[in-house]
Amino acid sequence: MNKKHKQFKYLYRQMLDEAIIRKAYKKLRKGKTKRKEIQQIDANLDEEVKKMRVMIENTRPDAEHPELGFKPPKKRKPKIINEHGKPRIIYMPEIREQWLHHIIVLILSPIILSTSYAISCGSFPKRGAHYGMRYLRKMIKRGRNIKYFAKLDIRHFYNSIRVKMLMDSLRDMIKDELFLYVVELCLKGFVKGIPLGFYISQWLANYFLEPLDRLIKEVCGIEINVRYMDDLLLMDDNKKVLHKTIKKIMHLLGSLLRLKLKNNFQVIRFAYTKKDGKKIGRPVDIMGFVFYRDGKVIMRERIMLHITRLARHMAKVKERTGKYYTTHIRALLSGMGWFKYTDSYGCFLDHIKPFVKIKVLRGIISRIDRRERKHDRLDRGALCAAS
């Protein structure tokens, strides 16, 4: 548990590199090219990059011109959204603050990834739900240590992280006070809890749980351990081992991280069919997938209903107006990944194919994207000619 991290220095210096500032902006503008703020920055990008560098140079305690540095808003206006039936409070930073977050993550992400647990999913690039699904499916097909499983969830995870403890944890690994000063400034106004909606929050939250990952894997010896942000799945053939591990997790969360598990955790027998045909236990439900002992994986019922209802709705809109809405097409094509990576082809044949033609929808989106890329190139060419 007392594993020493490699120490990292000179990160603030990297923040001043204009190549990194440009790269961060390129990541920021993806999917936002129609926003006025982005178009204004695009119109004078070289000058905006220099302004961003000046802002970072003056975002330090000993700055010559502190009035030019980054100042977090004194009051942030939260927005309430409904996600999977749960109301969540999110904060939307303005565009320059988002740019600063992307610069921080561009520098911080390789450091966090170098020490993170391999099956820590969600928020990490190429480590989403499908990454976790492939690993878990492989472990279940192998057939060892899958007799029982435990599902755990951390109570009010984002809202319970203490910023001081998070910054102390970062200081163990990062020996650059100026860089940490900027990170802490981005979280100013949040003493207990880090804000949902901030790009840096998901990375910092994942890093904060690294001691938990090491406890489960190295101390408790649980071989099959999947963490999807604050949701945990543990599997083992020994029920007592899982109960002991849960107690150790509760102790570590309370004593080291000041977090709590939800009270609804259980140790459950993984579903199987006895010789007499009687079914025992339950399938594993995590990351939006439902896993069975025979290797079958289906999507969660709520996700399936959302996609199939959207397909029927699109068919009605097409019948009424003669066209589809672009947002509906993109949402449906995004949902097709659930059918591609699960054993749900029968559902596709019954509830998607009769209502919409996926090939046609892909053609529509392809033409729209091609047209937008062409306009983007023409706009940039006009700006270059003008300058």
Side-chain angles (χ1 to χ4, degrees):
M1 283 296 295
N2 295 324
K3 184 178 178 179
K4 288 187 177 180
H5 288 305
K6 179 183 174 183
Q7 294 182 349
F8 297 88
K9 302 178 181 179
Y10 312 117
L11 304 184
Y12 181 79
R13 190 183 298 175
Q14 292 182 43
M15 293 182 75
L16 299 173
D17 186 341
E18 289 192 8
I20 286 178
I21 295 172
R22 284 177 183 274
K23 189 175 179 181
Y25 176 70
K26 189 177 177 182
K27 286 180 174 289
L28 165 66
R29 77 187 291 276
K30 279 185 181 177
K32 302 185 183 78
T33 52
K34 291 183 179 179
R35 286 175 57 174
K36 286 183 181 178
E37 310 101 299
I38 293 293
Q39 290 173 356
Q40 287 168 2
I41 294 172
D42 284 347
N44 199 6
L45 183 56
D46 291 343
E47 193 62 34
E48 294 293 343
V49 167
K50 288 175 183 175
K51 284 182 182 178
M52 199 68 190
R53 188 181 190 281
V54 169
M55 188 187 83
I56 296 168
E57 274 182 332
N58 289 284
T59 305
R60 50 189 292 168
D62 57 346
E64 289 184 23
H65 302 284
E67 69 279 3
L68 299 177
F70 168 68
K71 294 178 183 65
K74 291 182 179 179
K75 286 187 178 181
R76 297 184 185 271
K77 192 174 180 180
K79 182 181 178 182
I80 299 174
I81 62 167
N82 195 33
E83 186 181 54
H84 306 309
K86 296 178 183 177
R88 296 190 186 278
I89 298 173
I90 65 167
Y91 295 85
M92 299 297 291
E94 59 89 28
I95 200 70
R96 292 187 180 280
E97 190 173 5
Q98 289 183 47
W99 194 350
L100 183 60
H101 291 176
H102 276 265
I103 294 168
I104 291 169
V105 168
L106 202 59
I107 296 165
L108 199 57
S109 56
I111 298 171
I112 293 176
L113 285 169
S114 69
T115 59
S116 68
Y117 171 55
I119 317 299
S120 166
C121 313
S123 304
F124 286 159
K126 299 181 182 178
R127 283 210 217 163
H130 291 96
Y131 170 85
M133 181 274 290
R134 287 193 294 270
Y135 165 81
L136 191 53
R137 186 180 225 171
K138 181 181 175 182
M139 293 294 103
I140 290 171
K141 281 186 175 180
R142 191 192 61 173
R144 294 200 307 269
N145 292 318
I146 62 168
K147 190 175 181 180
Y148 297 96
F149 70 90
K151 267 194 73 177
L152 318 171
D153 190 2
I154 298 173
R155 185 174 180 270
H156 301 314
F157 175 47
Y158 273 82
N159 294 333
S160 301
I161 295 175
R162 296 168 193 259
V163 173
K164 185 180 182 305
M165 293 180 71
L166 172 63
M167 296 308 301
D168 288 345
S169 179
L170 285 171
R171 282 188 175 89
D172 289 341
M173 183 171 62
I174 296 171
K175 302 302 176 184
D176 186 334
E177 282 300 321
L178 289 177
F179 178 80
L180 293 172
Y181 174 80
V182 178
V183 174
E184 194 164 11
L185 197 62
C186 290
L187 300 174
K188 191 174 181 181
F190 303 95
V191 177
K192 185 179 179 183
I194 58 175
L196 281 167
F198 278 25
Y199 185 50
I200 56 171
S201 293
Q202 55 200 26
W203 287 88
L204 296 174
N206 260 313
Y207 174 72
F208 194 62
L209 287 182
E210 279 191 15
L212 176 62
D213 296 329
R214 290 198 295 273
L215 171 86
I216 296 168
K217 196 73 179 177
E218 297 172 13
V219 178
C220 302
I222 300 294
E223 185 187 4
I224 303 177
N225 163 32
V226 178
R227 178 166 68 79
Y228 188 70
M229 284 308 294
D230 58 338
D231 291 334
L232 294 107
L233 174 78
L234 318 175
M235 299 190 80
D236 199 87
D237 285 341
N238 192 320
K239 197 175 185 178
K240 290 181 180 178
V241 168
L242 289 176
H243 280 293
K244 286 179 181 177
T245 301
I246 291 170
K247 285 183 180 179
K248 288 180 180 178
I249 288 171
M250 292 172 73
H251 181 262
L252 178 133
L253 288 176
S255 61
L256 185 64
L257 305 179
R258 296 292 189 270
L259 300 172
K260 290 181 180 179
L261 283 181
K262 285 185 181 176
N263 293 326
N264 60 352
F265 62 84
Q266 289 178 299
V267 175
I268 308 160
R269 186 72 182 260
F270 189 24
Y272 80 103
T273 305
K274 296 174 75 173
K275 290 181 181 179
D276 61 2
K278 187 178 179 181
K279 292 183 179 180
I280 302 292
R282 295 211 305 257
V284 173
D285 183 341
I286 190 170
M287 300 178 291
F289 299 98
V290 181
F291 299 83
Y292 292 86
R293 188 180 283 266
D294 60 1
K296 184 176 76 170
V297 180
I298 63 173
M299 72 187 85
R300 193 174 286 162
E301 184 182 10
R302 185 175 63 238
I303 296 168
M304 182 271 293
L305 289 172
H306 172 72
I307 299 170
T308 53
R309 284 169 180 168
L310 177 60
R312 288 197 295 273
H313 177 67
M314 287 175 66
K316 289 177 182 177
V317 171
K318 179 70 162 58
E319 187 180 345
R320 190 173 66 248
T321 65
K323 59 184 179 180
Y324 297 114
Y325 291 111
T326 307
T327 51
H328 288 167
I329 300 174
R330 291 190 188 279
L332 188 69
L333 291 180
S334 175
M336 286 302 99
W338 290 99
F339 291 96
K340 182 179 178 180
Y341 294 102
T342 61
D343 303 304
S344 306
Y345 188 62
C347 177
F348 172 79
L349 292 177
D350 294 339
H351 301 287
I352 302 292
K353 195 173 181 179
F355 300 100
V356 293
K357 293 181 179 179
I358 299 301
K359 192 174 180 180
V360 171
L361 298 183
R362 284 186 178 136
I364 294 170
I365 289 299
S366 179
R367 288 194 295 275
I368 290 170
D369 288 345
R370 202 158 50 238
R371 192 161 60 241
E372 286 181 353
R373 284 196 298 269
K374 183 180 178 181
H375 288 164
D376 201 25
R377 284 196 301 271
L378 289 172
D379 290 343
R380 286 203 300 270
L383 288 170
C384 291
S387 60

